[in-house]
């Protein structure tokens, strides 16, 4: 999950499709995010590189749509419906996820265990 | 006859040549005369030019001829003057070691830095420039603010002449130091005498004298109102007891207050003479006159004529006059002193020669009053104008000569050719690599370094010099042991004693910073004496020389004032308003004043509850989606 400045970011990602749940008049996804380019990256407990200002999943509500879709705590969200999430502010990320006219969000997330799994499978 | 001549020969031995002229009555004198006449053409041309120039100078001071008329008169003289001046080498400037100079261009002799052709070109340029700059030919109102009296060669002026800007170019003298220095001094002497003449001094006090007379008359009037009935028809007056006496008391006190406040407010020597009438003051004088005249009229018709018997009424009438005078004085106070205190405009004052500028806030004033106010501030705020610091070193500027020559190769139409030529030359000059900025930069750096070095030497010399003396304490015995006899000196002698070691460093420093016209040796010793008397440190002594002070510091104390000319498009009694520009011109520099109104301020209010100041740590924020 580290990057080399100037080079494209490469990561092993997992596609997760979450169907939003309607609760009253809100559509909820069932997880919490943290991070963003306007936030303090040193306080992120999930990132390896403490300068990483990406969006991370900090909490997953048990039984919610995110958990059902397979999202796990500590995942870094790379894309949401095709929109990049590696260089966004916290508020922009929230907005991209909570668009009212979208029922389904398709995320690309990455986590450490994915890379290890790929490495093991290649060996 | 011959006997006489021989007697002369015998008696007066060594002065034979001299007496020969006297002794030989007819022949010798005639001989001398012819000798003189053979030399007249060049000398008399200069003399006749000088006399012509002096004659023309006189009427200029008293009347205002049109500029073109004057120019046509002087144009001929100017050309001759150039030719005559070139022929006769003048005495060079006395060296600055005496440091006691009147005019300012001590390091800048006229002939030293410019060739004759560039000088001619400069004169032509000056003529054109002054023609366009001349106010009367353009129809601007050019009026003179005359702070009273004025010597021409004071420490501010650098040109020897005063009123006519055209004048300088026709005598071909820009400085006071040139081969024409003799004739220039003659001119200045003539105009100085003119200015010392009677009308100018008298005019300065005319206005205040008039006002004083009117005020006195107004003050005496109530007393006259009271006294006249008593004097004229005392018997037939109604007796008037206590009420009259009460009125007497109040009248007396009001008159006293009026007297004291008049003294405090108005009886001050005028600080400037304005070119036009001071509108408010004239208004007030007219008002006072009107009041007093109408009161006298009423008094004369209704009291003196029918011999009014009601004395109490008369006393009441006099008391009402005093009340009215007090109110007029209140009006005067407000109009003259108070109204302009609240700031309304921002004036930007810019000196044309070296760009020194200041901003001032003033209230509602007329242009001429604002000009006087600006000049007051000028004398204490602006650093003194030093013309020697203006010029770029000639090594930088002299590179302008183009190395290109343009040849025509047999073309017929000349007009096309000339413009083509000039365009080609301009284009070529633009393309050529111009390194003058480079040289300017290095020259500046070099100059700074030199000044700093000299300054360091000066500071060290002064510090060392100050360690040589110390103040004698009262309790110390004046004559201590015979081994160390100490002579007791007064400040002047002490100053002279310690001046010697620092004189050289001081002179070099002043010369480097081009300040030597402002500080003569005498003035330095005086300042040193002053500093020693007041127990100052070397740094305090040097404060005066290390930075150029305000102009007031260099003025000689004399009662004659400074002459400034106010140039403005609008009549000078009109009030200041936005976008007005006027300039205050002196002999060789001008102050351009621009008026902008101060912005209107919308002041709003916001209440912040002191309990609402709360802070949080900047954490990773978490949003649930």
């Amino acid at each position: 999950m580290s990057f080399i400045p100037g080079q494209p970011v490469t990561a092993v990602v997992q596609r997760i499709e979450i169907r939003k749940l309607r609760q009253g008049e809100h559509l909820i996804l069932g997880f919490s995010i943290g991070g963003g380019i306007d936030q303090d990256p040193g306080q992120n407990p999930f990132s390896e590189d403490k300068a990483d200002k990406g969006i991370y999943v900090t909490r997953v509500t048990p039984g919610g749509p995110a958990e059902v879709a397979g999202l796990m705590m500590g995942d870094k969200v790379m894309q949401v419906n095709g929109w990049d999430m590696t260089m966004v502010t916290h508020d922009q990320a929230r907005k991209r996820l909570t668009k009212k006219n979208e029922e389904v969000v398709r995320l690309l997330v990455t986590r450490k265990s994915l890379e290890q799994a790929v490495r093991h499978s290649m060996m | 006859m011959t006997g006489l001549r021989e007697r002369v020969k015998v008696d007066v031995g060594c002065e034979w040549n001299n007496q020969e002229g006297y002794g030989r009555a007819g022949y010798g004198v005639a001989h001398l005369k012819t000798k003189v006449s053979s030399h007249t053409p060049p000398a008399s041309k200069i003399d006749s030019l000088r006399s012509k120039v002096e004659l023309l100078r006189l009427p200029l001071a008293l009347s205002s001829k049109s500029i073109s008329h004057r120019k046509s008169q002087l144009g001929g003289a100017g050309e001759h003057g150039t030719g005559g001046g070139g022929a006769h080498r003048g005495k060079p400037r006395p060296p600055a070691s005496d440091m006691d100079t009147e005019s300012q261009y001590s390091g800048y002799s006229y002939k030293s830095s410019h060739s004759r052709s560039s000088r001619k070109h400069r004169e032509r340029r000056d003529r054109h420039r002054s023609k366009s700059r001349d106010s009367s030919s353009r129809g601007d109102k050019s009026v003179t603010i005359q702070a009273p009296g004025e010597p021409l060669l004071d420490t501010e002026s650098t040109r020897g002449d005063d009123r006519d800007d055209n004048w300088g170019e026709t005598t071909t003298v820009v400085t006071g130091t040139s081969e024409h220095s003799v004739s220039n001094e003659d001119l200045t002497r003539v105009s100085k005498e003119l200015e010392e003449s009677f009308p100018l001094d008298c005019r300065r006090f005319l206005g205040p004298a008039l006002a004083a007379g009117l005020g006195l008359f107004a003050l005496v009037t109530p007393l006259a109102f009271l006294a006249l009935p008593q004097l004229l028809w005392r018997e037939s007056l109604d007796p008037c007891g206590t009420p009259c006496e009460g009125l007497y008391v109040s009248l007396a006190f009001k008159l006293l207050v009026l007297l004291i406040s008049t003294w405090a407010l108005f009886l001050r020597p005028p600080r400037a003479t304005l070119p036009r009438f001071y509108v408010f003051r004239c208004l007030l004088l007219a008002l006072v006159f009107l009041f007093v005249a109408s009161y006298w009229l009423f008094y004369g018709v209704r009291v003196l004529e029918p011999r009014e018997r009601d004395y109490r009424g008369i006393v009441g009438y006099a008391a009402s006059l005093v009340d009215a005078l007090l109110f007029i004085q209140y009006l005067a106070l407000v109009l003259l002193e108070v109204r302009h205190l609240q700031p309304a405009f921002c004036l930007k004052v810019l000196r044309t020669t070296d760009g020194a500028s200041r901003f001032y806030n003033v209230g509602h004033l007329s242009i001429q009053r604002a000009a006087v106010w600006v000049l007051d501030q000028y004398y204490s705020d602006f650093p003194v104008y030093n013309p020697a610091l203006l010029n770029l070193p000639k090594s930088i500027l002299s590179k302008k000569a183009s190395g290109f020559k343009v040849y025509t190769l047999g073309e017929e139409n000349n007009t096309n050719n000339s413009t083509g030529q000039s365009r080609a030359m301009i284009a070529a000059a633009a393309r050529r690599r111009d390194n003058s900025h480079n040289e300017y930069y290095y020259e500046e750096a070099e100059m700074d370094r030199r000044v700093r070095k000299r300054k360091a030497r000066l500071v060290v010399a002064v510090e060392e010099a100050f360690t040589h003396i110390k103040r004698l304490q009262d309790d110390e015995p004046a004559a201590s042991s015979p081994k160390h006899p100490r002579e007791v000196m007064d400040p002047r002698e002490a100053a002279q004693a310690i001046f010697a070691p620092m004189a050289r460093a001081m002179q070099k420093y002043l010369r480097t910073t081009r300040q030597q016209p402002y500080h003569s040796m005498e003035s330095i010793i005086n300042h040193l004496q002053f500093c020693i008397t007041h127990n100052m440190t070397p740094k305090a002594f040097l404060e005066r020389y290390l930075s150029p002070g305000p102009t007031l510091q260099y003025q000689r104390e004399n009662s004659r004032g400074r002459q400034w000319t106010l140039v403005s498009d609008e009549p000078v009694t009109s009030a200041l308003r936005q976008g007005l520009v006027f300039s205050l011109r002196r002999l060789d520099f001008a102050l351009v004043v621009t008026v902008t109104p101060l912005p209107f301020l919308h002041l709003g209010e916001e209440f912040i509850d002191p309990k609402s100041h709360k802070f949080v740590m900047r954490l990773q924020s978490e949003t649930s989606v």
Side-chain angles (χ1 to χ4, degrees):
Chain A
M1 288 202 253
S2 59
F3 71 99
I4 304 162
Q7 303 295 320
V9 175
T10 53
V12 183
V13 293
Q14 178 182 357
R15 258 182 245 261
I16 294 186
E17 185 175 313
I18 306 180
R19 194 165 288 280
K20 290 188 189 177
L21 179 68
R22 184 167 290 281
Q23 235 185 34
E25 60 180 28
H26 300 292
L27 285 169
I28 62 164
L29 288 157
F31 64 98
S32 301
I33 54 166
I37 55 177
D38 55 341
Q39 303 287 319
D40 182 11
Q43 312 217 4
N44 191 346
F46 307 107
S47 62
E48 249 186 39
D49 179 10
K50 288 303 171 192
D52 184 9
K53 294 187 173 179
I55 307 289
Y56 283 81
V57 175
T58 54
R59 212 164 41 87
V60 179
T61 53
E67 198 190 12
V68 164
L71 197 62
M72 286 170 36
M73 190 167 76
D75 290 353
K76 177 174 174 183
V77 177
M78 306 293 281
Q79 272 187 17
V80 170
N81 281 346
W83 292 101
D84 172 57
M85 282 286 150
T86 55
M87 276 286 146
V88 289
T89 64
H90 189 88
D91 210 40
Q92 282 170 342
R94 182 191 56 81
K95 279 188 194 152
R96 300 255 170 81
L97 284 166
T98 53
K99 287 214 192 301
K100 284 210 160 59
N101 49 1
E102 286 172 354
E103 290 267 340
V104 175
V105 286
R106 296 183 174 84
L107 312 177
L108 289 179
V109 300
T110 179
R111 59 181 85 92
K112 195 83 192 303
S113 54
L114 283 179
E115 256 183 71
Q116 286 168 356
V118 168
R119 217 176 292 135
H120 280 171
S121 66
M122 288 211 293
M123 282 195 312
Chain B
M1 190 62 168
T2 52
L4 185 64
R5 201 168 53 190
E6 275 154 13
R7 204 173 350 132
V8 165
K9 260 197 225 173
V10 164
D11 285 346
V12 187
C14 56
E15 292 177 353
W16 185 73
N17 283 328
N18 220 358
Q19 290 297 331
E20 191 180 41
Y22 293 133
R24 297 192 221 168
Y27 172 67
V29 174
H31 175 66
L32 281 175
K33 212 187 259 179
T34 54
K35 246 206 199 115
V36 165
S37 65
S38 68
H39 283 304
T40 34
S44 75
K45 198 205 289 186
I46 295 182
D47 284 338
S48 70
L49 283 176
R50 218 181 281 164
S51 60
K52 192 201 285 188
V53 145
E54 286 181 22
L55 278 175
L56 285 171
R57 193 74 180 86
L58 288 170
L60 282 179
L62 298 176
S63 74
S64 54
K65 288 189 190 169
S66 75
I67 294 301
S68 51
H69 179 50
R70 263 185 256 162
K71 276 183 66 56
S72 59
Q73 274 181 336
L74 299 176
E79 288 306 317
H80 286 278
T82 326
H88 127 75
R89 305 272 157 223
K91 51 181 182 268
R93 184 101 189 84
S97 61
D98 62 43
M99 284 201 271
D100 197 3
T101 63
E102 287 252 74
S103 73
Q104 309 325 300
Y105 282 127
S106 68
Y108 180 64
S109 144
Y110 178 68
K111 286 185 83 67
S112 68
S113 55
H114 298 272
S115 68
R116 183 184 302 219
S117 58
S118 74
R119 194 193 329 144
K120 276 216 186 84
H121 176 68
R122 200 155 34 92
E123 283 153 16
R124 222 174 299 133
R125 189 170 38 95
D126 283 350
R127 202 171 302 146
H128 284 304
R129 192 159 34 97
S130 57
K131 193 196 294 205
S132 65
R133 205 170 10 130
D134 192 80
S135 55
S136 65
S137 65
R138 235 192 330 183
D140 288 346
K141 300 185 179 40
S142 161
V143 292
T144 309
I145 289 185
Q146 189 163 350
E150 200 237 342
L152 282 181
L153 290 180
D154 55 0
T155 54
E156 269 177 82
S157 79
T158 55
R159 263 208 248 165
D161 51 45
D162 182 20
R163 283 165 215 265
D164 184 5
D165 283 337
N166 280 330
W167 188 245
E169 42 121 30
T170 57
T171 59
T172 75
V173 171
V174 177
T175 75
T177 89
S178 76
E179 62 268 18
H180 287 287
S181 60
V182 176
S183 64
N184 208 16
E185 279 160 24
D186 286 349
L187 295 172
T188 60
R189 212 175 341 117
V190 165
S191 50
K192 236 191 244 188
E193 288 162 27
L194 275 179
E195 291 200 323
E196 287 170 32
S197 64
F198 181 66
L200 258 51
D201 273 337
C202 193
R203 212 193 303 159
R204 174 181 175 184
F205 291 112
L206 190 63
L210 191 67
L214 193 59
L216 203 62
F217 178 60
L219 281 177
V220 161
T221 303
L223 302 173
F225 283 179
L226 292 181
L228 279 177
Q230 297 275 356
L231 291 175
L232 293 180
W233 63 90
R234 180 181 224 138
E235 315 76 34
S236 58
L237 280 178
D238 290 341
C240 155
T242 327
C244 266
E245 280 156 21
L247 280 173
Y248 286 158
V249 171
S250 83
L251 201 67
F253 278 120
K254 281 185 198 160
L255 272 178
L256 185 67
V257 167
L258 204 59
L259 257 169
I260 293 179
S261 59
T262 309
W263 168 83
L265 285 177
F266 303 124
L267 292 181
R268 290 179 289 195
R271 293 215 35 258
T273 58
L274 301 177
R276 301 257 176 113
F277 290 128
Y278 184 174
V279 171
F280 286 150
R281 195 165 59 192
C282 286
L283 184 72
L284 288 164
L285 287 179
L287 206 60
V288 167
F289 179 69
L290 202 65
F291 259 79
V292 174
S294 62
Y295 266 73
W296 267 110
L297 190 65
F298 185 84
Y299 186 76
V301 167
R302 289 307 184 90
V303 175
L304 285 182
E305 281 263 336
R307 301 220 159 197
E308 176 72 36
R309 299 175 52 203
D310 179 14
Y311 193 59
R312 194 188 169 294
I314 295 176
V315 176
Y317 184 64
S320 77
L321 174 62
V322 177
D323 285 341
L325 287 178
L326 273 175
F327 286 134
I328 293 183
Q329 188 160 67
Y330 161 73
L331 188 65
L333 184 66
V334 163
L335 281 182
L336 297 181
E337 308 281 335
V338 171
R339 181 169 178 259
H340 59 79
L341 290 180
Q342 187 183 37
F345 295 102
C346 183
L347 300 182
K348 175 177 180 179
V349 184
L350 180 65
R351 188 157 62 186
T352 53
T353 47
D354 57 354
S357 73
R358 294 277 187 282
F359 287 84
Y360 298 115
N361 283 356
V362 295
H364 290 278
L365 287 173
S366 64
I367 294 183
Q368 54 186 7
R369 281 173 81 191
V372 171
W373 194 88
V374 162
L375 287 178
D376 280 342
Q377 309 298 314
Y378 168 79
Y379 275 103
S380 49
D381 279 347
F382 274 68
V384 65
Y385 163 58
N386 195 346
L389 289 175
L390 290 178
N391 309 305
L392 285 182
K394 56 184 194 242
S395 56
I396 292 175
L397 293 179
S398 64
K399 288 259 183 109
K400 294 301 178 198
S402 156
F404 294 95
K405 285 190 168 187
V406 182
Y407 294 99
T408 68
L409 299 176
E411 302 199 12
E412 294 83 39
N413 42 355
N414 292 327
T415 53
N416 259 357
N417 216 10
S418 60
T419 57
Q421 260 188 18
S422 55
R423 249 185 276 134
M425 290 191 54
I426 291 172
R431 257 181 268 124
R432 187 171 41 107
R433 249 184 68 196
D434 185 11
N435 272 341
S436 56
H437 58 275
N438 220 1
E439 288 165 29
Y440 177 61
Y441 170 71
Y442 284 115
E443 184 81 28
E444 280 256 310
E446 175 68 27
M447 186 68 173
D448 276 345
R449 206 178 56 86
R450 214 181 302 153
V451 166
R452 271 203 299 268
K453 205 161 63 156
R454 293 267 166 99
K455 178 179 164 184
R457 287 206 186 130
L458 174 67
V459 168
V460 165
V462 169
E463 298 244 357
E464 232 173 295
F466 266 67
T467 58
H468 290 324
I469 60 167
K470 79 172 185 126
R471 184 172 271 269
L472 186 66
Q473 309 296 330
D474 287 334
D475 47 355
E476 276 181 29
S480 52
S481 65
K483 274 187 291 192
H484 315 282
R486 289 199 261 184
E487 57 173 272
V488 179
M489 300 184 282
D490 66 351
R492 177 92 192 157
E493 292 160 3
Q496 279 166 340
I498 65 173
F499 177 66
M502 66 161 103
R504 192 176 151 76
M506 172 72 82
Q507 183 178 6
K508 285 198 138 146
Y509 177 78
L510 289 180
R511 203 175 277 164
T512 311
T513 53
R514 320 263 179 113
Q515 276 178 327
Q516 74 272 27
Y518 299 117
H519 303 288
S520 66
M521 201 168 75
E522 192 56 36
S523 78
I524 297 180
I525 294 187
N526 282 342
H527 185 61
L528 190 54
Q529 175 187 343
F530 173 75
C531 291
I532 292 177
T533 315
H534 292 274
N535 289 331
M536 294 202 200
T537 60
K539 208 167 188 175
F541 165 68
L542 282 175
E543 166 269 339
R544 195 175 190 202
Y545 305 106
L546 292 182
S547 56
T551 313
L552 208 52
Q553 193 176 333
Y554 301 101
Q555 301 298 321
R556 289 194 298 240
E557 288 83 21
N558 45 7
S559 62
R560 334 184 88 231
R562 311 271 162 244
Q563 170 121 2
W564 290 82
T565 307
L566 174 60
V567 178
S568 126
D569 288 343
E570 313 243 328
V572 296
T573 49
S574 62
L576 290 180
R577 57 180 176 75
Q578 177 185 15
L580 208 55
V581 175
F582 60 93
S583 71
L584 286 156
R585 206 184 287 175
R586 201 153 156 95
L587 304 174
D588 47 355
F589 66 94
L591 299 174
V592 177
V593 181
T594 317
V595 180
T596 41
L598 291 176
F600 182 77
L601 304 169
H602 291 277
L603 210 56
E605 185 203 346
E606 183 180 333
F607 174 68
I608 298 184
D609 185 6
K611 292 205 243 302
S612 71
H613 296 293
K614 299 210 183 305
F615 292 91
V616 290
M617 290 295 289
R618 208 166 138 226
L619 296 172
Q620 193 77 326
S621 59
E622 195 185 340
T623 320
S624 61
V625 292

